[in-house]
Amino acid sequence: MLPEPAPEWHTTAWLNTPQPLELAQLRGKVVLLHAFQMLCPGCVAHGIPQAQRVAKLFEGAPLAVVGLHTVFEHHAAMGPESLRAFLYEYRVTFPVGIDAPGPDGDPIPCTMRAYAMQGTPTAILIDAQGRLRRQVFGQYDDLLLGAELGALLVEARQSSAAAVDAQAAEGCSDDRCARGP
Amino acid sequence: MLPEPAPEWHTTAWLNTPQPLELAQLRGKVVLLHAFQMLCPGCVAHGIPQAQRVAKLFEGAPLAVVGLHTVFEHHAAMGPESLRAFLYEYRVTFPVGIDAPGPDGDPIPCTMRAYAMQGTPTAILIDAQGRLRRQVFGQYDDLLLGAELGALLVEARQSSAAAVDAQAAEGCSDDRCARGP
Amino acid sequence: MLPEPAPEWHTTAWLNTPQPLELAQLRGKVVLLHAFQMLCPGCVAHGIPQAQRVAKLFEGAPLAVVGLHTVFEHHAAMGPESLRAFLYEYRVTFPVGIDAPGPDGDPIPCTMRAYAMQGTPTAILIDAQGRLRRQVFGQYDDLLLGAELGALLVEARQSSAAAVDAQAAEGCSDDRCARGP
Amino acid sequence: MLPEPAPEWHTTAWLNTPQPLELAQLRGKVVLLHAFQMLCPGCVAHGIPQAQRVAKLFEGAPLAVVGLHTVFEHHAAMGPESLRAFLYEYRVTFPVGIDAPGPDGDPIPCTMRAYAMQGTPTAILIDAQGRLRRQVFGQYDDLLLGAELGALLVEARQSSAAAVDAQAAEGCSDDRCARGP
């Protein structure tokens, strides 16, 4: 079964970034989308620290860590003001989008629904071509997450090299121009 | 230096208990007062789980674990609604009082000021006679906390036995009445 | 049920101490006897580090941590030479006695038999009067061990004060001699 | 710089395998060679459990975990008899070779010398073509080790597919024979 394009995310606000992030902008990068709730114990104990370690260990690689605050319970307790304080206190520095509320009183927010997430934390891996490659609900073993990221980064380098080749073949480099196939 | 009576706490509301708790009611019990903020990472990772383990391991002993939510920053982010959801999600079942705001715009709440706490988490040990015996800011080694509790529990048993003796000596038992010294 | 005197230990050699240790010498101190085998995973992961932390945290208190290498399997693999290297590599600095082999081909060594230990690690608490107060096979929660040590240390201080009183009452101090009761 | 062929290992005995293992036999598989000493605390606490987790998590993948007991101190304390008991007690089930002693009284064993290891634990990654790709002395972060393994496994699959293509191109399949280039 071939991987499908990852659904676009739908958000109402972003923290830790001057501009809202769109998935399409991240083409060419492996994306770790970390969906969490600030009052979810498993997110606080495992998921968020893991996402932070990924962001730090793979700094310099074509990899983006993106948070998604996707609240499906205790809505009043986890508003943007509380989230902002939470991110500050936990030293979370990667961009975090706030999942848009579900339509017509659906308690499940839009992006959570679009990805059919079972709950939080959920780690979602999207390849450099924007395709959904892995979705893990609950604790995600570091070795397995690392293996997945390592494999996707190899693919990203190869497809980027192929893209450069294709571009070279079709387009102009410093000393020559080639017509397309 | 003899231990001093522990300052009374000042609270605006209580969770996990049908009635507000007063320190005086706990005479005869060793008290572990755990002061925390729900968005303080050290409280969530160490202090609160430790208080929960104490409550569970010493069930049946004359020991009370009491939480104190003492917010000195991000006030809007940690209101009662958020605290209630936090306690629910983290399965905190011991009584938790909300420290009263400081007077005249003092950002430090009343009880935190009365005990001159340096921050959160702070563990405070009060003996069975209501005296302040130990105050530890930051991580508190389980072995040391255990040793302190073990010592205070021995004292509590002894002073309770002594109180019974004194009562017997001074007052009336079933079959006799004695005058005081 | 009153606590019984702890059985004397029987050893063939000692490491980390110039002289063999006898239980009787430790009267007046709380004793944590930690029985282990160098190839027992639970001892290496939990028991020995815990004994080391106790030795360090209670330095200065009337408390002695004593190791007992009590081998009941793989005897050839855990001889004195291997034990010496093990203690060196794991930075174990408290005294360690080697439990004497069982008589007549009994695979269970003498002290292990005398205390009816179920295996390793076993933590044994002996009070300042040389009485066996607690014996725990397997992992021993830090809070509970701490509480037990704290209680025994209070007792030790009290019985030591009582002994001083009794001595003062009965015997001679620098400036006076008193007859006994 | 192109990766070089990994040096062959030199061993005197093997445990957990009916036949001695040679590196050449493992062509086509990614190899995690875990060099350790049974009395090295970092190996026992981190390295060996990590190697065991890799063996279990990547079961079914073209990946071999191989242990190397490479003793450069306390030789008498870590003989084959002790190692055998150690592997049994720690439930280590991957094959373990015993590094051959250094020639002419060199305290450093042969394979440790050939790989210029700095000590134990050392994790060594060898790709499916038998080339040395990574060597890490000390603690190796699970995420980074996982990423390296994931990347090498992608390469292994690709080179295996390429080998099949090359074979098809050069050699005989069921229904045809092709001459080489």
Side-chain angles (χ1 to χ4, degrees), chain A residues 51-111:
Chain A
Q52 285 173 296
R53 279 180 292 118
V54 169
K56 191 174 166 198
L57 286 170
F58 293 85
E59 212 170 5
L63 186 150
V65 174
V66 178
L68 182 75
H69 195 234
T70 183
V71 174
F72 59 95
E73 53 185 355
H74 309 300
H75 291 82
M78 294 187 268
E81 183 81 18
S82 294
L83 176 62
R84 187 181 305 277
F86 173 83
L87 297 179
Y88 176 81
E89 291 300 329
Y90 279 84
R91 314 277 188 268
V92 173
T93 54
F94 50 75
V96 174
I98 298 177
D99 202 357
D104 301 325
D106 182 355
I108 307 301
C110 287
T111 313

Short mmCIF file of all heavy atoms in Angstrom, two decimals, chain A residues 51-111:
data_model
loop_
_atom_site.label_atom_id
_atom_site.label_comp_id
_atom_site.label_asym_id
_atom_site.label_seq_id
_atom_site.Cartn_x
_atom_site.Cartn_y
_atom_site.Cartn_z
N ALA A 51 10.00 14.66 22.02
CA ALA A 51 9.99 15.60 20.88
C ALA A 51 11.10 16.64 21.04
O ALA A 51 11.77 17.01 20.06
CB ALA A 51 8.62 16.27 20.77
N GLN A 52 11.32 17.08 22.28
CA GLN A 52 12.40 18.06 22.51
C GLN A 52 13.76 17.45 22.23
O GLN A 52 14.63 18.09 21.64
CB GLN A 52 12.33 18.57 23.95
CG GLN A 52 11.19 19.55 24.17
CD GLN A 52 11.02 19.92 25.64
OE1 GLN A 52 10.70 19.06 26.45
NE2 GLN A 52 11.22 21.18 25.97
N ARG A 53 13.96 16.20 22.64
CA ARG A 53 15.24 15.54 22.36
C ARG A 53 15.45 15.35 20.86
O ARG A 53 16.56 15.52 20.35
CB ARG A 53 15.34 14.21 23.10
CG ARG A 53 15.74 14.42 24.57
CD ARG A 53 15.86 13.12 25.34
NE ARG A 53 14.57 12.49 25.51
CZ ARG A 53 14.20 11.32 25.04
NH1 ARG A 53 15.07 10.58 24.36
NH2 ARG A 53 12.99 10.85 25.23
N VAL A 54 14.38 15.00 20.15
CA VAL A 54 14.51 14.85 18.69
C VAL A 54 14.92 16.19 18.08
O VAL A 54 15.84 16.26 17.26
CB VAL A 54 13.19 14.36 18.07
CG1 VAL A 54 13.22 14.48 16.54
CG2 VAL A 54 12.92 12.90 18.47
N ALA A 55 14.24 17.26 18.51
CA ALA A 55 14.55 18.58 17.94
C ALA A 55 16.02 18.94 18.16
O ALA A 55 16.68 19.49 17.28
CB ALA A 55 13.65 19.65 18.56
N LYS A 56 16.54 18.58 19.32
CA LYS A 56 17.91 18.94 19.65
C LYS A 56 18.93 18.02 18.97
O LYS A 56 19.93 18.48 18.40
CB LYS A 56 18.09 18.87 21.17
CG LYS A 56 19.38 19.48 21.63
CD LYS A 56 19.46 19.54 23.15
CE LYS A 56 20.90 19.84 23.54
NZ LYS A 56 21.16 19.51 24.94
N LEU A 57 18.67 16.72 19.02
CA LEU A 57 19.64 15.75 18.49
C LEU A 57 19.75 15.83 16.97
O LEU A 57 20.79 15.53 16.41
CB LEU A 57 19.26 14.33 18.89
CG LEU A 57 19.50 13.96 20.36
CD1 LEU A 57 18.85 12.62 20.69
CD2 LEU A 57 21.00 13.88 20.64
N PHE A 58 18.66 16.22 16.30
CA PHE A 58 18.68 16.23 14.85
C PHE A 58 18.76 17.65 14.30
O PHE A 58 18.43 17.90 13.16
CB PHE A 58 17.46 15.48 14.30
CG PHE A 58 17.48 14.00 14.58
CD1 PHE A 58 17.01 13.50 15.78
CD2 PHE A 58 18.04 13.12 13.67
CE1 PHE A 58 17.04 12.14 16.05
CE2 PHE A 58 18.08 11.76 13.93
CZ PHE A 58 17.58 11.27 15.12
N GLU A 59 19.20 18.56 15.17
CA GLU A 59 19.40 19.93 14.72
C GLU A 59 20.38 19.90 13.53
O GLU A 59 21.41 19.22 13.59
CB GLU A 59 20.01 20.76 15.86
CG GLU A 59 19.57 22.20 15.84
CD GLU A 59 19.98 22.94 17.11
OE1 GLU A 59 20.69 22.35 17.95
OE2 GLU A 59 19.60 24.12 17.24
N GLY A 60 20.06 20.61 12.47
CA GLY A 60 20.95 20.62 11.32
C GLY A 60 20.50 19.64 10.25
O GLY A 60 20.83 19.79 9.08
N ALA A 61 19.74 18.62 10.64
CA ALA A 61 19.20 17.69 9.65
C ALA A 61 17.93 18.29 9.06
O ALA A 61 17.30 19.15 9.66
CB ALA A 61 18.89 16.34 10.30
N PRO A 62 17.53 17.83 7.86
CA PRO A 62 16.28 18.32 7.27
C PRO A 62 15.07 17.70 7.97
O PRO A 62 14.44 16.80 7.42
CB PRO A 62 16.38 17.89 5.81
CG PRO A 62 17.31 16.72 5.82
CD PRO A 62 18.24 16.91 6.98
N LEU A 63 14.85 18.16 9.18
CA LEU A 63 13.80 17.58 10.03
C LEU A 63 13.15 18.69 10.82
O LEU A 63 13.82 19.52 11.41
CB LEU A 63 14.43 16.55 10.96
CG LEU A 63 13.49 15.72 11.83
CD1 LEU A 63 14.11 14.35 12.11
CD2 LEU A 63 13.15 16.38 13.15
N ALA A 64 11.81 18.71 10.84
CA ALA A 64 11.08 19.71 11.62
C ALA A 64 10.24 19.03 12.68
O ALA A 64 9.51 18.08 12.38
CB ALA A 64 10.19 20.53 10.68
N VAL A 65 10.36 19.52 13.91
CA VAL A 65 9.48 19.05 14.98
C VAL A 65 8.39 20.10 15.17
O VAL A 65 8.68 21.29 15.35
CB VAL A 65 10.27 18.85 16.29
CG1 VAL A 65 9.32 18.49 17.43
CG2 VAL A 65 11.33 17.76 16.11
N VAL A 66 7.15 19.67 15.10
CA VAL A 66 6.01 20.57 15.21
C VAL A 66 5.06 20.03 16.27
O VAL A 66 4.73 18.84 16.26
CB VAL A 66 5.27 20.68 13.85
CG1 VAL A 66 4.04 21.58 13.97
CG2 VAL A 66 6.21 21.18 12.76
N GLY A 67 4.65 20.90 17.18
CA GLY A 67 3.69 20.49 18.19
C GLY A 67 2.27 20.82 17.76
O GLY A 67 2.04 21.76 16.99
N LEU A 68 1.32 20.04 18.24
CA LEU A 68 -0.09 20.32 17.98
C LEU A 68 -0.85 20.14 19.29
O LEU A 68 -0.90 19.04 19.84
CB LEU A 68 -0.64 19.36 16.92
CG LEU A 68 -2.11 19.59 16.54
CD1 LEU A 68 -2.24 20.83 15.66
CD2 LEU A 68 -2.67 18.37 15.81
N HIS A 69 -1.41 21.24 19.79
CA HIS A 69 -2.16 21.16 21.04
C HIS A 69 -3.59 20.82 20.69
O HIS A 69 -4.33 21.65 20.17
CB HIS A 69 -2.08 22.48 21.81
CG HIS A 69 -2.52 22.36 23.24
ND1 HIS A 69 -3.49 23.14 23.81
CD2 HIS A 69 -2.11 21.51 24.22
CE1 HIS A 69 -3.64 22.80 25.09
NE2 HIS A 69 -2.82 21.82 25.36
N THR A 70 -3.98 19.60 20.96
CA THR A 70 -5.24 19.09 20.45
C THR A 70 -6.10 18.63 21.62
O THR A 70 -6.01 17.51 22.10
CB THR A 70 -4.99 17.99 19.39
OG1 THR A 70 -6.24 17.58 18.88
CG2 THR A 70 -4.20 16.82 19.93
N VAL A 71 -6.92 19.55 22.11
CA VAL A 71 -7.65 19.36 23.36
C VAL A 71 -9.02 18.76 23.10
O VAL A 71 -9.82 19.32 22.35
CB VAL A 71 -7.81 20.71 24.09
CG1 VAL A 71 -8.68 20.56 25.33
CG2 VAL A 71 -6.43 21.26 24.45
N PHE A 72 -9.27 17.60 23.71
CA PHE A 72 -10.61 16.99 23.54
C PHE A 72 -11.33 16.79 24.87
O PHE A 72 -12.35 16.13 24.94
CB PHE A 72 -10.51 15.68 22.76
CG PHE A 72 -9.62 14.64 23.39
CD1 PHE A 72 -10.14 13.65 24.19
CD2 PHE A 72 -8.26 14.64 23.15
CE1 PHE A 72 -9.34 12.69 24.77
CE2 PHE A 72 -7.44 13.67 23.72
CZ PHE A 72 -7.97 12.70 24.53
N GLU A 73 -10.79 17.38 25.94
CA GLU A 73 -11.43 17.30 27.27
C GLU A 73 -10.92 18.47 28.09
O GLU A 73 -9.86 19.02 27.79
CB GLU A 73 -11.08 15.97 27.94
CG GLU A 73 -9.58 15.74 27.97
CD GLU A 73 -9.14 14.39 28.53
OE1 GLU A 73 -9.99 13.61 29.00
OE2 GLU A 73 -7.93 14.15 28.49
N HIS A 74 -11.65 18.87 29.14
CA HIS A 74 -11.21 19.98 30.00
C HIS A 74 -10.83 21.21 29.17
O HIS A 74 -9.78 21.82 29.40
CB HIS A 74 -9.99 19.59 30.85
CG HIS A 74 -10.14 18.32 31.60
ND1 HIS A 74 -11.13 18.11 32.53
CD2 HIS A 74 -9.42 17.17 31.57
CE1 HIS A 74 -11.00 16.89 33.05
NE2 HIS A 74 -9.97 16.29 32.47
N HIS A 75 -11.67 21.58 28.20
CA HIS A 75 -11.32 22.69 27.32
C HIS A 75 -11.02 23.97 28.08
O HIS A 75 -10.05 24.67 27.79
CB HIS A 75 -12.43 22.94 26.29
CG HIS A 75 -12.55 21.84 25.29
ND1 HIS A 75 -13.24 20.67 25.55
CD2 HIS A 75 -12.05 21.70 24.03
CE1 HIS A 75 -13.17 19.85 24.49
NE2 HIS A 75 -12.45 20.46 23.56
N ALA A 76 -11.83 24.27 29.09
CA ALA A 76 -11.65 25.53 29.80
C ALA A 76 -10.33 25.56 30.56
O ALA A 76 -9.77 26.63 30.82
CB ALA A 76 -12.82 25.75 30.78
N ALA A 77 -9.84 24.39 30.92
CA ALA A 77 -8.62 24.32 31.73
C ALA A 77 -7.35 24.48 30.91
O ALA A 77 -6.27 24.67 31.46
CB ALA A 77 -8.59 22.99 32.49
N MET A 78 -7.49 24.37 29.58
CA MET A 78 -6.29 24.36 28.75
C MET A 78 -6.37 25.37 27.63
O MET A 78 -6.03 25.08 26.48
CB MET A 78 -6.06 22.95 28.19
CG MET A 78 -5.73 21.92 29.27
SD MET A 78 -5.25 20.29 28.62
CE MET A 78 -6.84 19.46 28.58
N GLY A 79 -6.80 26.56 27.95
CA GLY A 79 -6.87 27.63 26.96
C GLY A 79 -5.49 28.13 26.56
O GLY A 79 -4.48 27.72 27.13
N PRO A 80 -5.45 29.04 25.57
CA PRO A 80 -4.18 29.54 25.05
C PRO A 80 -3.29 30.17 26.14
O PRO A 80 -2.06 30.00 26.10
CB PRO A 80 -4.60 30.59 24.03
CG PRO A 80 -5.99 30.20 23.64
CD PRO A 80 -6.61 29.57 24.83
N GLU A 81 -3.90 30.84 27.11
CA GLU A 81 -3.11 31.48 28.17
C GLU A 81 -2.37 30.42 29.00
O GLU A 81 -1.19 30.56 29.31
CB GLU A 81 -4.07 32.26 29.09
CG GLU A 81 -3.43 33.03 30.19
CD GLU A 81 -2.90 34.36 29.67
OE1 GLU A 81 -3.34 34.81 28.58
OE2 GLU A 81 -2.05 34.93 30.37
N SER A 82 -3.09 29.35 29.33
CA SER A 82 -2.48 28.27 30.10
C SER A 82 -1.40 27.58 29.27
O SER A 82 -0.32 27.25 29.78
CB SER A 82 -3.54 27.26 30.54
OG SER A 82 -4.43 27.85 31.46
N LEU A 83 -1.69 27.36 28.00
CA LEU A 83 -0.72 26.70 27.12
C LEU A 83 0.57 27.51 27.03
O LEU A 83 1.68 26.97 27.09
CB LEU A 83 -1.31 26.49 25.72
CG LEU A 83 -0.37 25.89 24.69
CD1 LEU A 83 0.10 24.49 25.10
CD2 LEU A 83 -1.02 25.82 23.30
N ARG A 84 0.41 28.83 26.89
CA ARG A 84 1.58 29.70 26.77
C ARG A 84 2.48 29.56 28.02
O ARG A 84 3.70 29.41 27.91
CB ARG A 84 1.16 31.15 26.59
CG ARG A 84 2.30 32.12 26.29
CD ARG A 84 1.79 33.56 26.15
NE ARG A 84 0.73 33.68 25.14
CZ ARG A 84 0.96 33.81 23.84
NH1 ARG A 84 2.21 33.88 23.39
NH2 ARG A 84 -0.05 33.91 23.00
N ALA A 85 1.86 29.58 29.20
CA ALA A 85 2.63 29.43 30.44
C ALA A 85 3.28 28.05 30.50
O ALA A 85 4.43 27.89 30.91
CB ALA A 85 1.72 29.66 31.65
N PHE A 86 2.52 27.05 30.08
CA PHE A 86 3.04 25.67 30.08
C PHE A 86 4.30 25.56 29.21
O PHE A 86 5.33 25.03 29.63
CB PHE A 86 1.96 24.72 29.57
CG PHE A 86 2.43 23.32 29.36
CD1 PHE A 86 2.50 22.42 30.42
CD2 PHE A 86 2.83 22.88 28.10
CE1 PHE A 86 2.95 21.12 30.22
CE2 PHE A 86 3.28 21.58 27.91
CZ PHE A 86 3.34 20.71 28.97
N LEU A 87 4.22 26.08 27.98
CA LEU A 87 5.37 25.98 27.07
C LEU A 87 6.58 26.73 27.64
O LEU A 87 7.72 26.28 27.52
CB LEU A 87 5.01 26.54 25.69
CG LEU A 87 3.90 25.80 24.93
CD1 LEU A 87 3.64 26.49 23.59
CD2 LEU A 87 4.27 24.33 24.71
N TYR A 88 6.30 27.86 28.28
CA TYR A 88 7.37 28.63 28.88
C TYR A 88 8.04 27.84 30.01
O TYR A 88 9.26 27.71 30.06
CB TYR A 88 6.83 29.96 29.40
CG TYR A 88 7.87 30.78 30.12
CD1 TYR A 88 8.78 31.56 29.39
CD2 TYR A 88 7.97 30.76 31.51
CE1 TYR A 88 9.76 32.29 30.05
CE2 TYR A 88 8.94 31.49 32.17
CZ TYR A 88 9.84 32.26 31.43
OH TYR A 88 10.81 32.98 32.08
N GLU A 89 7.23 27.29 30.91
CA GLU A 89 7.78 26.59 32.07
C GLU A 89 8.49 25.31 31.69
O GLU A 89 9.46 24.92 32.33
CB GLU A 89 6.67 26.29 33.10
CG GLU A 89 6.13 27.52 33.81
CD GLU A 89 7.20 28.28 34.59
OE1 GLU A 89 8.14 27.64 35.08
OE2 GLU A 89 7.08 29.52 34.70
N TYR A 90 8.02 24.64 30.65
CA TYR A 90 8.65 23.38 30.23
C TYR A 90 9.72 23.59 29.17
O TYR A 90 10.25 22.64 28.62
CB TYR A 90 7.58 22.38 29.76
CG TYR A 90 6.93 21.68 30.93
CD1 TYR A 90 5.87 22.25 31.61
CD2 TYR A 90 7.42 20.46 31.40
CE1 TYR A 90 5.30 21.63 32.71
CE2 TYR A 90 6.86 19.85 32.50
CZ TYR A 90 5.80 20.43 33.15
OH TYR A 90 5.26 19.80 34.25
N ARG A 91 10.04 24.85 28.88
CA ARG A 91 11.10 25.18 27.92
C ARG A 91 10.89 24.52 26.56
O ARG A 91 11.82 24.01 25.95
CB ARG A 91 12.48 24.74 28.45
CG ARG A 91 12.76 25.11 29.92
CD ARG A 91 13.25 26.53 30.04
NE ARG A 91 13.69 26.85 31.39
CZ ARG A 91 12.91 27.39 32.34
NH1 ARG A 91 11.63 27.67 32.09
NH2 ARG A 91 13.41 27.69 33.53
N VAL A 92 9.65 24.48 26.12
CA VAL A 92 9.35 23.93 24.80
C VAL A 92 9.57 25.03 23.78
O VAL A 92 8.94 26.10 23.87
CB VAL A 92 7.90 23.41 24.71
CG1 VAL A 92 7.55 22.99 23.29
CG2 VAL A 92 7.70 22.25 25.68
N THR A 93 10.46 24.80 22.84
CA THR A 93 10.82 25.87 21.90
C THR A 93 10.39 25.59 20.47
O THR A 93 10.49 26.47 19.62
CB THR A 93 12.33 26.14 21.94
OG1 THR A 93 12.99 24.88 21.71
CG2 THR A 93 12.76 26.69 23.30
N PHE A 94 9.91 24.39 20.18
CA PHE A 94 9.47 24.15 18.80
C PHE A 94 8.09 24.79 18.59
O PHE A 94 7.37 25.04 19.56
CB PHE A 94 9.48 22.65 18.45
CG PHE A 94 8.80 21.73 19.42
CD1 PHE A 94 7.42 21.67 19.49
CD2 PHE A 94 9.55 20.90 20.25
CE1 PHE A 94 6.79 20.80 20.36
CE2 PHE A 94 8.92 20.03 21.14
CZ PHE A 94 7.54 19.98 21.19
N PRO A 95 7.71 25.08 17.35
CA PRO A 95 6.42 25.71 17.07
C PRO A 95 5.27 24.80 17.49
O PRO A 95 5.36 23.58 17.32
CB PRO A 95 6.41 25.85 15.54
CG PRO A 95 7.82 25.68 15.10
CD PRO A 95 8.50 24.85 16.12
N VAL A 96 4.25 25.41 18.04
CA VAL A 96 3.07 24.65 18.47
C VAL A 96 1.81 25.32 17.92
O VAL A 96 1.56 26.49 18.18
CB VAL A 96 2.98 24.59 20.01
CG1 VAL A 96 1.66 23.92 20.46
CG2 VAL A 96 4.17 23.85 20.60
N GLY A 97 1.05 24.54 17.17
CA GLY A 97 -0.24 25.02 16.68
C GLY A 97 -1.36 24.56 17.59
O GLY A 97 -1.25 23.52 18.23
N ILE A 98 -2.42 25.37 17.66
CA ILE A 98 -3.59 24.99 18.45
C ILE A 98 -4.64 24.43 17.50
O ILE A 98 -5.10 25.13 16.58
CB ILE A 98 -4.13 26.19 19.24
CG1 ILE A 98 -3.05 26.67 20.23
CG2 ILE A 98 -5.42 25.82 19.98
CD1 ILE A 98 -3.45 27.91 21.03
N ASP A 99 -4.98 23.19 17.70
CA ASP A 99 -5.91 22.50 16.82
C ASP A 99 -7.26 23.23 16.83
O ASP A 99 -7.75 23.62 17.90
CB ASP A 99 -6.06 21.04 17.28
CG ASP A 99 -6.57 20.14 16.17
OD1 ASP A 99 -6.85 20.64 15.07
OD2 ASP A 99 -6.68 18.92 16.42
N ALA A 100 -7.86 23.41 15.65
CA ALA A 100 -9.15 24.12 15.55
C ALA A 100 -10.28 23.26 16.13
O ALA A 100 -10.29 22.04 15.94
CB ALA A 100 -9.44 24.44 14.08
N PRO A 101 -11.22 23.89 16.86
CA PRO A 101 -12.34 23.15 17.44
C PRO A 101 -13.13 22.43 16.34
O PRO A 101 -13.21 22.90 15.20
CB PRO A 101 -13.21 24.23 18.09
CG PRO A 101 -12.35 25.44 18.20
CD PRO A 101 -11.31 25.34 17.13
N GLY A 102 -13.70 21.30 16.70
CA GLY A 102 -14.53 20.56 15.76
C GLY A 102 -15.78 21.36 15.41
O GLY A 102 -16.26 22.16 16.21
N PRO A 103 -16.32 21.15 14.21
CA PRO A 103 -17.51 21.89 13.78
C PRO A 103 -18.76 21.39 14.51
O PRO A 103 -18.80 20.22 14.92
CB PRO A 103 -17.59 21.59 12.29
CG PRO A 103 -16.92 20.26 12.14
CD PRO A 103 -15.90 20.15 13.24
N ASP A 104 -19.72 22.25 14.67
CA ASP A 104 -21.04 21.87 15.19
C ASP A 104 -20.97 21.10 16.50
O ASP A 104 -21.62 20.06 16.67
CB ASP A 104 -21.77 20.98 14.15
CG ASP A 104 -21.95 21.72 12.84
OD1 ASP A 104 -22.17 22.95 12.88
OD2 ASP A 104 -21.84 21.06 11.78
N GLY A 105 -20.14 21.62 17.41
CA GLY A 105 -20.13 21.02 18.75
C GLY A 105 -19.43 19.69 18.83
O GLY A 105 -19.50 19.00 19.84
N ASP A 106 -18.74 19.27 17.77
CA ASP A 106 -17.92 18.06 17.85
C ASP A 106 -16.81 18.32 18.87
O ASP A 106 -16.04 19.27 18.72
CB ASP A 106 -17.31 17.78 16.47
CG ASP A 106 -16.49 16.50 16.45
OD1 ASP A 106 -16.30 15.89 17.52
OD2 ASP A 106 -16.04 16.12 15.35
N PRO A 107 -16.71 17.51 19.93
CA PRO A 107 -15.68 17.78 20.94
C PRO A 107 -14.27 17.47 20.42
O PRO A 107 -13.28 17.90 21.02
CB PRO A 107 -16.05 16.83 22.09
CG PRO A 107 -16.81 15.73 21.45
CD PRO A 107 -17.53 16.34 20.26
N ILE A 108 -14.18 16.71 19.34
CA ILE A 108 -12.87 16.34 18.78
C ILE A 108 -12.43 17.45 17.83
O ILE A 108 -13.15 17.79 16.89
CB ILE A 108 -12.98 15.02 17.99
CG1 ILE A 108 -13.63 13.93 18.84
CG2 ILE A 108 -11.61 14.59 17.47
CD1 ILE A 108 -12.89 13.61 20.10
N PRO A 109 -11.24 18.00 18.05
CA PRO A 109 -10.81 19.08 17.16
C PRO A 109 -10.51 18.58 15.74
O PRO A 109 -10.36 17.38 15.51
CB PRO A 109 -9.55 19.62 17.84
CG PRO A 109 -9.25 18.76 19.00
CD PRO A 109 -10.31 17.74 19.15
N CYS A 110 -10.43 19.54 14.82
CA CYS A 110 -10.38 19.23 13.38
C CYS A 110 -9.23 18.33 12.96
O CYS A 110 -9.41 17.35 12.25
CB CYS A 110 -10.27 20.54 12.58
SG CYS A 110 -11.78 21.46 12.56
N THR A 111 -8.00 18.69 13.38
CA THR A 111 -6.85 17.93 12.91
C THR A 111 -6.82 16.54 13.54
O THR A 111 -6.48 15.55 12.88
CB THR A 111 -5.55 18.69 13.23
OG1 THR A 111 -5.70 20.05 12.85
CG2 THR A 111 -4.36 18.09 12.51
#
